[in-house]
Amino acid sequence: MDTMADEGLQGNEKIEAAILALQQEPTQEMLAHALTVIRQRMREKGQWIVAVEPVPGAPMQLKQLQTADGKAWWYAFTSFEESLKGAEQVKSTFLAEIDKLFDAALTVPDIQGIILNHWSRTIQLDKHLIRIIKP
């Protein structure tokens, strides 16, 4: 484990492992396991790296990703390594508590949810799945 990683990110490798297992065996049981691991990290006050778009004179806005169906999603990463895997370099980021990020996603009507690690070990957490994770 990277000892230089931010303390809030330590433990997120469990999420990455659960997502990989889900990708290898896409069953309801593996999805339930991945959601349980995310819930556990949320309860441990875990954090994710969130990309932001600095807008001069306005509050920071979370970057959005548009999927092929035209829907907008926020995206986040479990580690700095995951954020560097894609072709597009993420320029501005901050750490957000998983719990607070979920709360925010649930209140923004135009957002479908959060895509975690959209370049590699990916899971799309729509609002339905977020409500399952949150108590």
Side-chain angles (χ1 to χ4, degrees), residues 48-54 60-65 74-95 115-120:
W48 288 338
I49 300 164
V50 181
V52 294
E53 290 188 69
M60 281 193 299
Q61 296 180 2
L62 297 184
K63 283 191 86 169
Q64 295 181 14
L65 179 73
W74 285 341
Y75 60 95
F77 303 97
T78 52
S79 66
F80 288 106
E81 293 79 17
E82 284 294 328
S83 72
L84 298 174
K85 285 185 178 177
E88 169 199 335
Q89 291 295 312
V90 178
K91 293 177 180 53
S92 298
T93 62
F94 73 94
L95 294 176
I115 297 177
L116 190 58
N117 298 334
H118 73 275
W119 289 313
S120 179

Side-chain angles (χ1 to χ4, degrees), residues 113-132:
I114 300 165
I115 297 177
L116 190 58
N117 298 334
H118 73 275
W119 289 313
S120 179
R121 295 190 180 168
T122 302
I123 188 169
Q124 287 184 274
L125 300 170
D126 63 17
K127 291 181 180 180
H128 174 72
L129 292 179
I130 291 171
R131 286 185 190 102
I132 289 171

